[in-house]
Amino acid sequence: MQISFSRLDDTIARFVLRGATPAFANTLRRTMIGEVPTLAIDDVFIYDNNSALFDEIVAHRLGLVPLRTDLDEYVMRDTCSCGGEGCSGCTAIYTLSVEGPKMVYSSDLIPQDPQAAPVVDNIPLVKLEKEQKVVLEARAVLGKGISHAKWQPTLACGYKEYPIITVDKKCDGCAMCVDECPRGVLEVVKDSVRVVEGKLEDCSLCRLCERICKSEGTWDEPAIHITQDATRFIFVVESDGSLSVKEIVERALREIRSKSESLVDVLSDISGGNGNDEI
Amino acid sequence: MDIKIIELEADKVRISFAGETHTYLNALTNQMLADPSVDVASYDFRYTFVDPTLLVTTKDGTDPVAAIIRGAEAIAADCTDLLAQIEHQ
């Protein structure tokens, strides 16, 4: 199995996974979305709120604010040495104290740990009129997207099979498929259609080129064929900024590996002992 | 991993995986089906919110538990390989 990145920024990555099965590609995608932990506000203590929004709506909005997460600093609350009571090792605390008239933004959340500040400052939370105020304390903990979407570290996270475009010799270069392609993948060179250099991965597999060739041409089968390679996958992963994309991919792979190793350990114990024992 | 063996015979094992979903079990069963000694490798959720049950049967007297171990080891090796490649990019 091979992985090669064509783009790797802090918030977006594009890579090709070669020699994989669709099952493994889907496991990687689902793990990145649902099983890589990130910080999100989970408990809110509201001391004062006479804004137009109910306490529950304010708390819900706070929960959806992406927070910068250092996974080496924080551990999941249920595995923390504090026994789940909440300590600096598993909980990030924020305070919010604002008085109207004012639009309250995520930048008004004051983090106790500056490393766990909101990712962006301009997320609107609530609009306050004159003499309205909100005073609260919020606590963020690590969680996984499988429990609630607020703990998903990814925005867009998906893959497609690698496109394979073949053009038959009967192609007369009429260029109708070139005009039809919404991604500009095709071009006409010397009375025949070919893929523009470096644009093959942009093909969305929509098959509009096949359809126009079949309907407008004089033949029963189109001169251009779009197929997919089921062992190569083009991934696009976007982060919400809480973790870098590279960390998301690495953490997901480590999660899959740790599950496999844990299963091997448990089953090895059984094969060595009495196989009918319950674990 | 929290598992419970429900049924174990020479060529058949049925295991319940607490807290697991399609995410891992789909990759595991797919990996095991690439093993020629594995006859059936499938999992199902009896009801929506219950733990999935993995069923593995084997041919030629192969130990089904050993087949699962081989499948899990292959997935772990793939992950290690990919992590090493990412490290160098």
Side-chain angles (χ1 to χ4, degrees):
Chain A
M1 214 177 283
Q2 286 179 311
I3 189 168
S4 52
F5 286 84
S6 54
R7 183 179 174 188
L8 181 58
D9 302 337
D10 260 3
T11 55
I12 188 162
R14 189 182 171 93
F15 60 88
V16 177
L17 189 65
R18 289 185 174 79
T21 59
F24 185 86
N26 197 34
T27 294
L28 178 58
R29 179 190 69 84
R30 287 174 64 110
T31 309
M32 286 191 284
I33 295 171
E35 303 205 14
V36 175
T38 186
L39 278 176
I41 289 172
D42 201 34
D43 292 320
V44 182
F45 301 93
I46 295 179
Y47 300 116
D48 197 355
N49 173 27
N50 59 358
S51 70
L53 298 186
F54 295 125
D55 293 355
E56 292 88 341
I57 301 175
V58 174
H60 180 249
R61 287 186 173 194
L62 287 168
L64 296 175
V65 173
L67 306 170
R68 289 189 199 286
T69 305
D70 184 348
L71 290 175
D72 296 327
E73 287 288 320
Y74 293 95
V75 293
M76 300 285 279
R77 187 176 258 187
D78 54 355
T79 57
C80 185
S81 53
C82 70
E85 288 185 8
C87 66
S88 58
C90 64
T91 310
I93 299 175
Y94 303 80
T95 52
L96 179 76
S97 178
V98 281
E99 203 169 333
K102 179 184 184 345
M103 176 63 97
V104 184
Y105 290 101
S106 51
S107 57
D108 294 312
L109 274 172
I110 311 297
Q112 221 171 52
D113 173 11
Q115 302 294 321
V119 172
V120 280
D121 288 338
N122 57 354
I123 300 171
L125 297 173
V126 55
K127 187 176 182 181
L128 299 178
E129 297 299 337
K130 198 178 171 191
E131 294 181 4
Q132 289 185 336
K133 64 177 180 179
V134 175
V135 182
L136 57 83
E137 182 186 303
R139 295 182 178 188
V141 293
L142 285 184
K144 293 182 175 181
I146 198 165
S147 318
H148 192 290
K150 69 183 176 182
W151 280 302
Q152 285 182 8
T154 54
L155 301 175
C157 179
Y159 63 86
K160 64 179 176 187
E161 289 179 343
Y162 205 91
I164 300 170
I165 302 176
T166 47
V167 181
D168 291 347
K169 282 183 182 170
K170 67 184 178 186
C171 173
D172 56 9
C174 70
M176 275 186 293
C177 57
V178 177
D179 298 336
E180 194 74 1
C181 179
R183 298 281 181 96
V185 173
L186 304 169
E187 65 180 352
V188 177
V189 175
K190 292 180 188 168
D191 292 340
S192 183
V193 169
R194 71 172 190 189
V195 177
V196 179
E197 202 173 322
K199 296 275 275 182
L200 178 60
E201 290 183 7
D202 289 350
C203 174
S204 67
L205 306 164
C206 67
R207 296 173 188 273
L208 285 172
C209 49
E210 272 187 2
R211 196 178 303 170
I212 193 84
C213 186
K214 192 175 173 183
S215 63
E216 301 293 328
T218 53
W219 36 68
D220 292 334
E221 286 299 315
I224 186 165
H225 304 278
I226 311 295
T227 51
Q228 298 151 43
D229 184 345
T231 63
R232 276 193 291 176
F233 302 90
I234 302 169
F235 274 80
V236 174
V237 184
E238 281 181 25
S239 162
D240 65 0
S242 55
L243 297 167
S244 70
V245 182
K246 190 176 179 187
E247 188 164 14
I248 293 172
V249 179
E250 285 179 337
R251 291 268 170 184
L253 287 168
R254 280 197 207 122
E255 174 71 22
I256 300 168
R257 184 174 64 182
S258 96
K259 277 186 184 180
S260 299
E261 288 171 346
S262 161
L263 180 59
V264 169
D265 287 347
V266 174
L267 290 177
S268 300
D269 286 348
I270 294 168
S271 354
N274 184 349
N276 286 316
D277 282 348
E278 281 186 3
I279 298 152
Chain B
M1 189 171 277
D2 191 7
I3 64 170
K4 188 173 185 178
I5 296 195
I6 298 167
E7 196 179 343
L8 181 62
E9 293 171 22
D11 62 349
K12 178 180 174 183
V13 66
R14 197 185 290 273
I15 304 175
S16 169
F17 284 73
E20 283 306 321
T21 61
H22 295 282
T23 303
Y24 183 69
L25 288 179
N26 190 36
L28 180 64
T29 51
N30 199 270
Q31 182 68 45
M32 288 170 62
L33 287 170
D35 182 344
S37 66
V38 172
D39 187 22
V40 172
S42 72
Y43 65 95
D44 78 315
F45 293 83
R46 198 173 177 98
Y47 304 104
T48 306
F49 295 111
V50 298
D51 293 328
T53 306
L54 174 72
L55 169 69
V56 178
T57 63
T58 52
K59 296 179 276 194
D60 311 325
T62 308
D63 178 10
V65 173
I68 300 175
I69 291 175
R70 281 199 299 275
E73 281 176 342
I75 293 173
D78 282 341
C79 292
T80 305
D81 184 24
L82 290 174
L83 282 164
Q85 290 178 42
I86 293 172
E87 197 66 32
H88 292 105
Q89 288 191 30

